[in-house]
Amino acid sequence: MLAPTPTQGGCLSRLRLVGGRASSLQLEGILEWIKDGEIEITRRGNLQHRSLLPPTPLVLQKLQDLKLIGSPETDQLRNIMLSPMAGIDTKMVMDTSLWAKEWEKYLQDHRELKDLSAKFSIGFDGGETVSITHLLNDVLVSAIDPASVVIFLSDPVGVVVPVQEVIDVLQTIVFLYMNFTKAATTKPRLKEMVANYGIESVWHRVEQKLGKKFDRLSKLTDKNPSFSCLGVFHQNNDAYFAIGVAIPSSRLAAMELQKLKQIADRFGTGELRFTPWQSILIPFVHRSFVAESLKQITEMNLSVTDQPPITACAGLACNSSFTDTQTNAKELSQQTKARSITIHLSGCARLCAYSIPHHFLAIGVSPGVYALYHDQKKLTECTDRELLTVVANYQNLPKANLSATKI
Ligand code: SF4
């Protein structure tokens, strides 16, 4: 927000929402920011907006007053991910939202951290059914039981830490990371520090600084990773439900956001949760209002069950894009619907907006040309004009694996 990027589609500002959450009051501030434009939900549950001019000082002040922007030095480090069901999931081991708040405050109060890479991120997993454990975060804090967590740093071997010591351990990791950053010429990622020292040496340094020993634990592969947060979820309080709404192309016009806000105000607590799967969750809907909420969501032409068959990144609004993904997505939408095909269009190989598995993945490789993939295999290269016919000729393939993102 404080350093918007000029792009082909206008000035790009990104609002970092802690845990993807926005209260009713904060949503009012967001609506003032985007005026009659649109927001784009990112793969970290943040919000992006493109406009002709950067946000005015008045808008920035309002967003800062609403705690949607942190201190000017460390706002870019507020990359704090929670499960959208944090605090309300029926199977969760613990509520991680308090840690997210504590970490946000730590960043706010420690402006010397400004030198860390802006990509530094933390995920807090409370053992929710809608899990974030397979999503990319530099640090993952994962609840084992109500008294302990395991902390991982881009390596499968983590340390088991009692809950009351979690923030101390995180601060020690950041202390080591700061020292490593000071000795480097560029802003290194945390994983570079881990690669440089070796994970065992990192844990040893943490133990030495804190004068404690921690057991090691290896990460298990999540056999049922969450790829969406859609549908009606029972909350841990019997009377309440959370409703996950799919957002086509992860974009929402101001009027649509306003309408979802009204539904949340009327039937929930006014809060919306933007998810890492680029959908929206409306929590705390009383059982007596679920039917009416679903009716109003359907009237908006939004679905709570179907993943959008076609998703696309910002395309030509982004300086790196080779292809007009947004226009091509609209052109393909009828075809994909009629043939039950799903596809993601990406303007380049960074795959910023690819968060759910699709049958096909089309990556812009040169102006107006896509490379088409299925399950990590490249099928062909074709122009955007040919894409429709090519896709139509590859019907009935099983859905591709998310590991296709490793292409
Ligand atoms: S995937 Fe590439 S083109 Fe698309 S938004 Fe990301 S960087 Fe830009």
Side-chain angles (χ1 to χ4, degrees), residues 40 50 313-315 318-322 346-353:
E40 205 180 306
R50 287 163 214 269
C313 77
C318 166
N319 291 343
S320 305
S321 189
F322 288 114
S346 185
C348 80
R350 283 180 65 186
L351 301 172
C352 305

Side-chain angles (χ1 to χ4, degrees), residues 145-161:
D145 56 50
S148 49
V149 303
V150 55
I151 301 182
F152 296 104
L153 307 179
S154 57
D155 187 280
V157 178
V159 285
V160 178
V161 176

Side-chain angles (χ1 to χ4, degrees), residues 22-25 27-28 31 235 240-243 245 256-274 280-286 289 292-294 296-297 300:
S23 67
S24 181
L25 213 58
L27 287 165
E28 273 172 30
L31 283 162
Q235 292 189 188
Y240 291 94
F241 291 80
I243 302 177
V245 186
E256 294 173 300
L257 181 61
Q258 175 76 56
K259 180 72 196 150
L260 283 178
K261 177 183 176 308
Q262 279 167 7
I263 295 174
D265 280 337
R266 192 157 164 223
F267 304 122
T269 55
E271 179 189 351
L272 292 181
R273 297 185 180 185
F274 298 87
I280 291 181
L281 189 79
I282 309 174
F284 299 104
V285 178
H286 190 270
F289 296 133
E292 181 57 24
S293 303
L294 290 173
Q296 294 198 13
I297 290 166
M300 291 177 67

